Amino acid sequence: MSVFEYTAGSRKFTRTRKSLKKFSFTTTDATGITNNFEKAKDCVLVIKPLNEHAFLRPEYLVVKLSDITSATALTIRIATDSDGDNTFFPDTQATISTGLTTTDSGVVAYSLQLPYVDTASAATSFFLFAKTDASDDVNITSADLYCTVETF
């Protein structure tokens, strides 16, 4: 057990460090995304446990798409379970920004800025669900979540 000794003119503080980290979702099942949320087509992100106590703050999400035909927007939901029932980032729609010369690929970005701390498990998992505004399907080629990580 640590013992603290206080002397005149000195204090001991716990140091904190903040850093921005990129976490990438696994997107192998995220093909053929249409205008309905489908559990089988989710993207999964497992954030490995850190050796220190940490506070995670998801800041923004960037999703890259391919095989776009008629979709102009993508709606996402992020949950902590594979059924999409424990939602911590609700349904949010963003306009797909396609290339200037190639319109069959594009990107969407979301500003999350939600505090999230998981103290119940050793590793935190996030599940990303998506749907388009059209019945024609698109594929998610990458989904990157940028978080501020504060360790203390």
Side-chain angles (χ1 to χ4, degrees):
M1 174 163 33
S2 298
V3 176
F4 293 100
E5 293 183 17
Y6 294 98
T7 58
S10 66
R11 293 185 184 175
K12 191 170 199 169
F13 292 98
T14 302
R15 298 183 74 171
T16 62
R17 293 179 307 218
K18 285 187 179 179
S19 60
L20 187 65
K21 296 200 184 238
K22 175 179 139 182
F23 298 98
S24 296
F25 283 87
T26 302
T27 60
T28 52
D29 294 334
T31 58
I33 304 294
T34 60
N35 57 352
N36 293 309
F37 286 123
E38 295 183 43
K39 289 184 350 178
K41 297 182 180 185
D42 64 344
C43 302
V44 181
L45 170 65
V46 178
I47 298 176
K48 301 296 182 194
L50 303 171
N51 293 335
E52 305 162 315
H53 296 286
F55 173 76
L56 292 175
R57 180 184 167 101
E59 298 289 345
Y60 59 96
L61 173 71
V62 177
V63 180
K64 292 186 180 178
L65 304 169
S66 66
D67 299 326
I68 301 168
T69 52
S70 63
T72 60
L74 188 74
T75 301
I76 62 155
R77 173 187 300 177
I78 302 176
T80 57
D81 68 318
S82 60
D83 290 333
D85 295 331
N86 296 329
T87 301
F88 85 92
F89 188 71
D91 299 2
T92 304
Q93 187 178 66
T95 301
I96 299 171
S97 179
T98 58
L100 295 177
T101 59
T102 306
T103 58
D104 65 346
S105 62
V107 66
V108 289
Y110 304 87
S111 177
L112 306 179
Q113 299 184 357
L114 293 173
Y116 180 80
V117 177
D118 184 28
T119 58
S121 62
T124 301
S125 294
F126 294 137
F127 298 85
L128 172 67
F129 302 92
K131 68 178 182 176
T132 65
D133 62 340
S135 59
D136 294 333
D137 57 340
V138 301
N139 299 323
I140 296 177
T141 57
S142 70
D144 298 320
L145 181 65
Y146 295 84
C147 297
T148 299
V149 179
E150 184 175 355
T151 57
F152 48 98

